[in-house]
Amino acid sequence: MALTGKQVRQLRSLAHHLEPVVHIGRGDVNDGVVAQAEESLEAHELIKCAVQDGSDLTCREAAEQLAGRTGADVVQVIGHRFALYRETSRTDVEKIKLV
């Protein structure tokens, strides 16, 4: 799903206050990280991730790999952190209303 500029700005403002829930370290983007991101995206739709110093990947590379493996969109990459968005399929979760 391609996000419009207005939707990206809305998601960036929502992601600003989030704490990272997925940490990418020495193991880079492995199956455990992907599973954790999948679970978090299903529960929250918008998550923030952090790349630790021990990782061989840059933050942009990690964001692209994780987004590709989870089917999410990269919302923002700043420093060692990035935000991902994917609409949830669950009905018991309050969905983010994109403009």
Side-chain angles (χ1 to χ4, degrees):
M1 169 182 148
L3 297 171
T4 65
K6 198 171 202 180
Q7 291 170 334
V8 169
R9 285 192 302 275
Q10 177 189 6
L11 291 170
R12 280 194 334 228
S13 70
L14 292 172
H16 176 75
H17 302 290
L18 298 177
E19 289 296 319
V21 293
V22 176
H23 296 274
I24 299 169
R26 250 184 310 169
D28 294 330
V29 181
N30 57 30
D31 292 338
V33 170
V34 172
Q36 184 181 8
E38 287 274 356
E39 186 178 307
S40 297
L41 283 166
E42 275 300 307
H44 303 289
E45 291 189 320
L46 180 65
I47 61 170
K48 190 180 274 189
C49 308
V51 178
Q52 306 297 321
D53 290 335
S55 177
D56 294 332
L57 299 174
T58 66
C59 192
R60 172 73 59 190
E61 291 169 342
E64 295 296 334
Q65 282 186 22
L66 193 56
R69 290 184 66 180
T70 60
D73 291 308
V74 178
V75 174
Q76 183 177 36
V77 178
I78 293 182
H80 293 285
R81 295 181 180 196
F82 60 92
L84 297 178
Y85 169 78
R86 185 182 74 194
E87 188 174 341
T88 184
S89 59
R90 291 174 45 180
T91 56
D92 61 331
V93 175
E94 184 177 342
K95 296 186 178 190
I96 297 173
K97 293 171 182 54
L98 295 175
V99 290

